[in-house]
Amino acid sequence: MTFDIQTPSLATAQRSLGPGNPTYPLLPAQLSGCPKTSNETIQFPLEVAYDYASAGNVSFARGTRWQDWQAILPPRHPRASMPVGGTPLVDVSDVAPPRFRHRRVFVKDESRNPTWSHKDRLNTFTISAALYEGASTIIVASSGNHGVSAAAMASRAGLNCLVLTMPEVSPAVRDMILGYGAYPVYLPADARWPAMRALKEIPGTYPVSNLTPVHTGHPWGPEGYKTMAYEILADLDGAAPAAVVVPTGYGEMLYGIYKGFHEARLLGRIDQIPRLVSVEPATRGPLHHAIKAGLPATTVAAGPTVQSGTAVTVNGYRAVVALRESNGLALLVSDDRARAANAVLARQGLWQEISSSAAFAALDDIEAFDADGPVVVIGCSTGLKEPAEPRAATATTPDLASMRGYLKTEFGFVI
Amino acid sequence: MTFDIQTPSLATAQRSLGPGNPTYPLLPAQLSGCPKTSNETIQFPLEVAYDYASAGNVSFARGTRWQDWQAILPPRHPRASMPVGGTPLVDVSDVAPPRFRHRRVFVKDESRNPTWSHKDRLNTFTISAALYEGASTIIVASSGNHGVSAAAMASRAGLNCLVLTMPEVSPAVRDMILGYGAYPVYLPADARWPAMRALKEIPGTYPVSNLTPVHTGHPWGPEGYKTMAYEILADLDGAAPAAVVVPTGYGEMLYGIYKGFHEARLLGRIDQIPRLVSVEPATRGPLHHAIKAGLPATTVAAGPTVQSGTAVTVNGYRAVVALRESNGLALLVSDDRARAANAVLARQGLWQEISSSAAFAALDDIEAFDADGPVVVIGCSTGLKEPAEPRAATATTPDLASMRGYLKTEFGFVI
């Protein structure tokens, strides 16, 4: 089987994160983890390897963008043509914990992507792989950002898309799946993964979400998140931040951001990888428990949480590697703290999903860092896709009471 | 009264668009139109004048951004600090009318702004003016993008914000107003403007939306939309498009985009201003009727429409100037055509509000242009803020029938 790839990418192979790091051809994608190193209890993911020795002129200087980094990204299919990324760093130092303010704290606002979340970066490359492999129909199990993004990117690329979701999916997400022209399939939560495995046996179908008990996912997907690290470097004039705080489910984004900085160090552009900090809901947190137990992965009970973007019960091994290699931290945040942080960020003009707000709340739990430089918190998605929660207005004016009286007396308005 | 302005802006004055173009100091903002030229039947808006002779080094080359254009923008207050704009041109040539495809058609995706609409550009400068004038409380009459944006930008700047809206405001917009920390005031539609005029008499309050029967608005606001023209030039390597198609309510954005290109010509950067095309709901269209009748403004009945972003009953004079000076067109589009275009854009990965989808539909009504170059359609805002409409999935697979049977037989799944 050959794949017609015309691209300046220096990608050479799929490389396992399992013991011995066996490699495989760049395509077809290994969609069920590394076949050589995985076993019944642990499945190892794969990443993309590159000919870094030929990437000497890749720059992360101010003003550089995706096209400047294509050499160290997977091949991007011409039909995966949606402009993605270029999201800004929004200064929130004024409301950060006092001990961080002098170094500045930013939220990287991923809600400025095409479907208003970080997932568009991942799907740029999962959809590219699907196109190179000749797929006709994307299949994805998701009731949130991933499903919405896959639906949009698949439609734009001329592919069909089935989104395996749940009857209780939020109305906004359901409308988007339908609106983008995809086909929502409502299944009980437990039935979605068996259905994925069944559907992928049908010729032409192509899964872009995970198929294994311990999360492995599509090997090309996390490569898209490397652009977040590159963009941070470009926006900070080539300097690395002290830390990046990442809302973490299966850890694909955590690993992608880590890998981007790792590559920048490999290419001699920075001296030190920032500390990666993962943030999970306090009622779950499989990565936190895996790190604590020194295990590649753990499974936890499905504790209740409103942090839907990171509400997983098993971690991926990628996330363990990212924290280990960056001297990272695995933090837990309660729903109450996430909600409070959501309100603080909103008053800075950032209406984020609750699970991303948790990452900002986690700043309170981070002690001092070794490195200088700012702290970057990843804000993954708009709050608009989530079910509304009761909120209260906080605006007050010195004259609100008299304003009320004035309007009532003069105009009969009650405000 | 003095204003502490420290900025590289070359802004010199407020300049009336009324007969004789009288000028006023840059601040305080003339919030009720030009006092010298307006009368009971027509109110004339103002704009900002600049010392263009000193702006010789302003560039619209690829890679230039807001900071490069600050000389020909109003002073930006340091507390109006949200990164805004930098929205991409998304190629939709594949689904444009065949006669346009060879020249390429783009949607400028304004849903990539901080509150997911173009209004953040306007409010960057209305909030700046409010800060320079020492206001404590922003007041704005809006049930959509403008109110949401003002709420966010005001909160970030440390200002209070009252949003005069209606009981039937969409839940998403209501939640955002509350979430950003603003204070929604629910009033009957007819009561909102009397309430605005009453509230502005209270010390410290500052209106950022219109106060006059014929729309005039805040003189600094449309200046923010000039950046859309500058960004288009930068993204097209300094070359002007043939036309820009703009969903149009009161015409502040239409005028701002026109003015940006006008300035680029004034500074010798382009030879010809693109043709500006306004698009209004077919059941209303005050600008269309004003142009047809040769009047500075007309008032129309409040015909029913789902194009809520452009559902106005009176135009602003600015829009007439923009069309006249650019050999423009004033088009009308029905709700049915807007809905159909919404679905076409969604399948290109662009989930836009209905009123912006109308602008894409209007391409069908545009005959050939004199100038070469691409056509840019402005997509103002995400569809996520609008009430959901019934939609239908269109995804099909060659094997959907057999897939259904297979899953049902093998797994008992019904899809």
Side-chain angles (χ1 to χ4, degrees):
Chain A
M1 194 169 180
T2 60
F3 303 96
D4 180 26
I5 296 180
Q6 297 178 329
T7 167
S9 172
L10 296 170
T12 57
Q14 292 176 85
R15 175 182 178 274
S16 169
L17 297 192
N21 305 112
T23 61
Y24 304 86
L26 194 55
L27 289 177
Q30 297 288 343
L31 295 175
S32 298
C34 174
K36 291 180 188 159
T37 62
S38 302
N39 56 50
E40 270 179 35
T41 54
I42 174 71
Q43 294 87 51
F44 289 104
L46 300 101
E47 63 179 343
V48 176
Y50 301 86
D51 172 18
Y52 292 115
S54 302
N57 62 352
V58 172
S59 166
F60 309 110
R62 179 168 289 275
T64 54
R65 284 291 172 252
W66 282 58
Q67 56 269 33
D68 303 303
W69 308 320
Q70 183 56 58
I72 50 174
L73 291 170
R76 182 170 181 173
H77 194 283
R79 278 162 61 199
S81 62
M82 178 63 84
V84 170
T87 62
L89 296 179
V90 179
D91 196 324
V92 293
S93 307
D94 286 352
V95 290
R99 69 186 182 284
F100 290 134
R101 287 182 194 178
H102 74 280
R103 58 167 84 226
R104 298 179 82 189
V105 175
F106 298 102
V107 169
K108 185 164 175 64
D109 182 9
E110 288 289 293
S111 81
R112 313 256 196 123
N113 272 301
T115 70
W116 311 294
S117 90
H118 64 299
K119 287 286 182 184
D120 296 325
R121 298 181 191 263
L122 174 134
N123 282 316
T124 296
F125 295 109
T126 60
I127 299 289
S128 287
L131 289 163
Y132 287 125
E133 295 196 47
S136 71
T137 303
I138 296 298
I139 50 176
V140 53
S142 167
S143 297
N145 293 321
H146 188 18
V148 164
S149 170
M153 306 297 246
S155 275
R156 182 167 173 85
L159 299 174
N160 299 304
C161 181
L162 301 191
V163 184
L164 276 54
T165 180
M166 297 179 291
E168 56 270 36
V169 61
S170 88
V173 169
R174 181 203 59 208
D175 288 348
M176 292 177 83
I177 294 168
L178 287 166
Y180 285 127
Y183 193 97
V185 182
Y186 305 101
L187 295 170
D190 289 350
R192 287 176 298 162
W193 283 272
M196 278 289 283
R197 287 192 290 271
L199 286 167
K200 85 170 170 51
E201 300 305 320
I202 298 174
T205 60
Y206 195 88
V208 300
S209 60
N210 180 56
L211 293 167
T212 49
V214 174
H215 185 279
T216 56
H218 192 296
W220 287 28
E223 301 293 314
Y225 294 130
K226 296 191 313 190
T227 56
M228 297 173 72
Y230 307 158
E231 289 177 8
I232 291 169
L233 288 174
D235 287 347
L236 298 177
D237 286 318
V244 183
V245 188
V246 186
T248 298
Y250 298 119
E252 293 174 291
M253 181 169 54
L254 188 76
Y255 187 76
I257 294 172
Y258 154 72
K259 187 174 177 184
F261 287 114
H262 165 76
E263 291 171 330
R265 189 175 59 174
L266 201 68
L267 295 170
R269 301 289 183 275
I270 59 172
D271 295 328
Q272 192 174 345
I273 296 173
R275 190 170 213 185
L276 271 287
V277 181
S278 66
V279 179
E280 300 171 284
T283 52
R284 298 193 176 190
L287 176 59
H288 170 88
H289 293 292
I291 295 288
K292 223 169 147 182
L295 293 171
T298 66
T299 301
V300 299
T305 179
V306 295
Q307 300 175 54
S308 59
T310 53
V312 303
T313 54
V314 61
N315 65 293
Y317 176 64
R318 276 190 193 89
V320 173
V321 175
L323 294 185
R324 185 184 67 210
E325 298 295 320
S326 72
N327 190 29
L329 282 176
L331 299 179
L332 300 177
V333 168
S334 72
D335 283 3
D336 283 351
R337 290 177 61 202
R339 281 200 186 93
N342 183 260
V344 170
L345 289 178
R347 281 146 188 76
Q348 292 291 303
L350 290 165
W351 173 265
Q352 281 287 329
E353 61 180 13
I354 301 286
S355 51
S356 292
S357 308
F360 182 77
L363 291 176
D364 284 331
D365 301 338
I366 304 176
E367 303 301 323
F369 298 106
D370 295 339
D372 287 334
V375 174
V376 176
V377 178
I378 307 299
C380 292
S381 182
T382 171
L384 273 170
K385 291 181 211 160
E386 293 189 321
E389 297 203 28
R391 288 168 189 281
T394 56
T396 54
T397 78
D399 292 309
L400 189 58
S402 64
M403 192 183 304
R404 281 183 169 134
Y406 177 80
L407 288 176
K408 190 173 177 189
T409 310
E410 295 291 315
F411 298 92
F413 295 144
V414 179
I415 75 170
Chain B
M1 194 169 180
T2 60
F3 305 97
D4 180 28
I5 296 179
Q6 297 178 330
T7 166
S9 172
L10 296 170
T12 55
Q14 291 176 87
R15 175 183 178 273
S16 169
L17 297 192
N21 306 112
T23 61
Y24 304 86
L26 196 55
L27 290 177
Q30 297 289 343
L31 296 175
S32 297
C34 174
K36 291 181 189 158
T37 61
S38 301
N39 56 51
E40 271 181 34
T41 54
I42 175 72
Q43 294 87 48
F44 289 105
L46 300 102
E47 63 178 343
V48 176
Y50 301 86
D51 172 19
Y52 291 116
S54 303
N57 62 352
V58 172
S59 166
F60 309 110
R62 179 168 290 275
T64 54
R65 284 291 172 253
W66 281 58
Q67 57 269 33
D68 303 303
W69 307 320
Q70 183 56 58
I72 51 173
L73 291 169
R76 182 170 181 172
H77 194 284
R79 277 161 61 199
S81 61
M82 178 62 84
V84 170
T87 62
L89 297 179
V90 180
D91 195 323
V92 292
S93 306
D94 286 353
V95 290
R99 69 185 181 285
F100 290 135
R101 287 181 194 178
H102 74 281
R103 58 168 83 225
R104 299 178 82 190
V105 175
F106 297 103
V107 169
K108 186 163 174 64
D109 182 9
E110 287 290 295
S111 81
R112 311 258 194 121
N113 273 300
T115 70
W116 312 294
S117 90
H118 64 301
K119 287 286 182 184
D120 296 324
R121 299 181 191 263
L122 174 135
N123 282 316
T124 296
F125 294 108
T126 60
I127 299 291
S128 287
L131 289 163
Y132 288 124
E133 295 196 47
S136 70
T137 304
I138 297 298
I139 50 176
V140 52
S142 167
S143 298
N145 293 320
H146 188 17
V148 164
S149 171
M153 305 297 245
S155 275
R156 182 168 174 85
L159 300 174
N160 299 305
C161 181
L162 301 190
V163 184
L164 276 54
T165 181
M166 296 179 293
E168 56 269 35
V169 60
S170 89
V173 169
R174 182 204 58 207
D175 289 347
M176 291 177 84
I177 293 168
L178 287 166
Y180 285 127
Y183 192 96
V185 182
Y186 305 101
L187 295 171
D190 289 350
R192 287 176 297 163
W193 283 272
M196 278 289 285
R197 287 192 291 270
L199 286 167
K200 85 171 170 51
E201 300 305 320
I202 298 175
T205 60
Y206 194 89
V208 301
S209 60
N210 180 58
L211 293 167
T212 49
V214 174
H215 185 279
T216 56
H218 192 295
W220 287 28
E223 301 294 315
Y225 294 130
K226 296 191 313 190
T227 56
M228 297 172 73
Y230 307 158
E231 288 177 9
I232 291 169
L233 288 174
D235 287 347
L236 298 177
D237 286 317
V244 183
V245 187
V246 186
T248 298
Y250 298 119
E252 293 175 289
M253 180 168 53
L254 188 76
Y255 186 76
I257 294 172
Y258 153 72
K259 188 175 176 183
F261 287 114
H262 165 76
E263 290 171 330
R265 190 176 58 173
L266 200 68
L267 295 171
R269 301 290 183 275
I270 59 173
D271 295 328
Q272 191 174 346
I273 297 173
R275 190 171 212 183
L276 271 287
V277 181
S278 66
V279 179
E280 300 171 283
T283 51
R284 299 193 176 190
L287 177 59
H288 171 88
H289 293 293
I291 295 288
K292 224 170 146 181
L295 294 171
T298 66
T299 301
V300 298
T305 179
V306 295
Q307 300 173 55
S308 59
T310 52
V312 302
T313 54
V314 61
N315 65 293
Y317 177 64
R318 276 190 192 88
V320 173
V321 175
L323 294 185
R324 186 185 66 210
E325 299 295 320
S326 72
N327 190 29
L329 282 176
L331 299 179
L332 300 176
V333 168
S334 71
D335 284 3
D336 283 351
R337 290 176 62 201
R339 280 198 188 96
N342 182 261
V344 170
L345 289 177
R347 282 147 189 76
Q348 292 291 302
L350 289 164
W351 174 266
Q352 282 287 328
E353 61 180 11
I354 301 287
S355 51
S356 292
S357 307
F360 182 76
L363 291 175
D364 285 330
D365 302 338
I366 304 175
E367 303 300 323
F369 298 106
D370 295 340
D372 287 336
V375 173
V376 176
V377 177
I378 307 299
C380 292
S381 182
T382 170
L384 274 169
K385 292 182 212 160
E386 292 189 322
E389 297 203 28
R391 290 168 188 279
T394 56
T396 55
T397 79
D399 291 311
L400 190 58
S402 63
M403 191 184 302
R404 283 181 167 135
Y406 177 81
L407 288 175
K408 190 174 178 189
T409 311
E410 295 292 314
F411 299 92
F413 296 145
V414 179
I415 73 169

